[in-house]
Amino acid sequence: MQTDLIAPEALVLAEDVPAKIRLRNLTKSFATGGGTVTALDNVSLEIPSGCFFMIVGPSGCGKTTLLRILAGLDTPTSGSIEVSASAAGRPGNSMVFQGGSLFPWMTVFDNAAYGLSMRKRPQAEIAEVVGHYLNRTGLTKFAHAYPHQLSGGMQQRVSIARAFANDPDILLMDEPFSALDEQNKLLLQEELLRIWEETRKTVLFITHSVDEAVTLGDRIMIMTAQPGRTKQIVDVPFGRPREVLELRSQPAYGELVYSIWGQLRDEVQRARAQDERSVKS
């Protein structure tokens, strides 16, 4: 199988797919007691509208920092961000975190409806939209349950339902399945793909798992160890819709995972060496 490994500076969008997000020379530094730490260094990207964009990299490479900047929760030190305008009345983005983001005093329904309620959408619309996504995530019969009554996997389903119900232009996902066991992770990957097929929203999804990146993504950015830079952009050649188990049974899938891990392995080892030097100092 021929894997498309694209140098960062050579990434060109198809003419008929406009860019949803453009990053130009994005840099983020933090002042610490030991001096200035650069989390992101000169990152430039163009992400097409409707792209399921995956980001993989070693711990500490700035993946979450990048997502927080895009979410408006942090600001870059230098560089620019351009995001095409959202449709009228639609939020720019929604974020799904690793876990623990539900309001414990709210029911499943009210958690999923939170974004729409804050935007003061009509009750009939909230009931219809939230009902649809609870059904799509298999949570209809748990609509009146509270988060503490749910498993970790079910809580993440609520987070996904809430994000899609809010109907953002961009969906930001920060390792949402990392704390789950392999069975629940696989089921949620399948559910996420089915729901995403309905809307084809622009998604930025952070993961440590190369398997997950290839399973879900259209394009994958491999990041370097700190400071985080774009090492490689990989186009995923598999069509859609995708069935997770069927996809993973294909030899071409294993070849692509192996190829990406070959790109990532050196960065993981470099990050480990940085950690060891930091402990010694």
Side-chain angles (χ1 to χ4, degrees):
M1 180 191 71
Q2 179 64 40
T3 301
D4 294 324
L5 296 178
I6 307 172
E9 63 273 11
L11 180 59
V12 178
L13 295 173
E15 291 183 1
D16 58 342
V17 182
K20 184 65 180 175
I21 300 169
R22 287 188 177 90
L23 309 181
R24 291 288 179 265
N25 307 119
L26 196 72
T27 297
K28 177 64 178 181
S29 299
F30 298 94
T32 70
T36 300
V37 174
T38 300
L40 296 168
D41 183 31
N42 201 35
V43 175
S44 294
L45 273 177
E46 290 192 356
I47 300 175
S49 181
C51 181
F52 206 124
F53 194 89
M54 307 295 295
I55 303 174
V56 296
S59 296
C61 72
K63 301 184 298 296
T64 295
T65 298
L66 176 57
L67 220 62
R68 286 179 56 83
I69 291 172
L70 288 169
L73 301 175
D74 209 338
T75 56
T77 303
S78 62
S80 64
I81 303 170
E82 298 175 24
V83 179
S84 63
S86 306
R90 177 181 293 174
N93 65 72
S94 289
M95 193 161 180
V96 180
F97 298 90
Q98 293 182 33
S101 63
L102 300 181
F103 298 112
W105 60 88
M106 289 185 179
T107 64
V108 165
F109 183 95
D110 289 339
N111 265 288
Y114 181 76
L116 293 172
S117 298
M118 291 297 291
R119 289 161 51 205
K120 302 188 184 304
R121 305 306 302 167
Q123 288 301 312
E125 177 186 338
I126 292 175
E128 179 181 359
V129 172
V130 172
H132 172 74
Y133 285 109
L134 292 185
N135 179 60
R136 295 296 284 150
T137 52
L139 291 168
T140 301
K141 64 182 180 180
F142 301 99
H144 301 295
Y146 288 88
H148 75 272
Q149 298 172 308
L150 308 177
S151 67
M154 291 172 70
Q155 290 180 28
Q156 284 304 81
R157 291 183 192 182
V158 180
S159 295
I160 291 169
R162 177 173 63 188
F164 276 96
N166 200 30
D167 194 26
D169 263 11
I170 300 168
L171 189 58
L172 306 172
M173 307 189 80
D174 186 7
E175 298 189 73
F177 308 146
S178 61
L180 304 180
D181 61 72
E182 195 61 31
Q183 295 92 336
N184 271 306
K185 185 182 297 186
L186 188 146
L187 290 173
L188 280 174
Q189 288 169 350
E190 290 179 334
E191 289 176 358
L192 175 59
L193 285 174
R194 284 197 296 268
I195 295 171
W196 178 80
E197 285 287 348
E198 295 179 354
T199 61
R200 294 293 181 109
K201 292 186 179 297
T202 305
V203 176
L204 271 74
F205 190 116
I206 288 176
T207 181
H208 277 97
S209 168
V210 176
D211 276 308
E212 186 166 66
V214 174
T215 297
L216 300 177
D218 295 314
R219 285 179 176 174
I220 302 168
M221 178 172 75
I222 304 168
M223 293 188 69
T224 66
Q226 188 188 70
R229 304 183 181 100
T230 304
K231 179 173 185 176
Q232 203 71 251
I233 301 290
V234 180
D235 274 346
V236 179
F238 307 119
R240 297 188 184 275
R242 295 177 188 170
E243 294 293 334
V244 174
L245 288 178
E246 179 182 335
L247 175 64
R248 291 184 175 182
S249 70
Q250 298 178 22
Y253 172 88
E255 292 174 15
L256 183 55
V257 169
Y258 181 80
S259 174
I260 293 171
W261 172 240
Q263 296 286 322
L264 184 59
R265 178 175 50 204
D266 291 345
E267 301 306 323
V268 173
Q269 291 173 342
R270 192 155 67 90
R272 182 180 298 177
Q274 289 174 346
D275 290 341
E276 289 174 354
R277 287 195 298 270
S278 176
V279 170
K280 289 179 182 177
S281 63

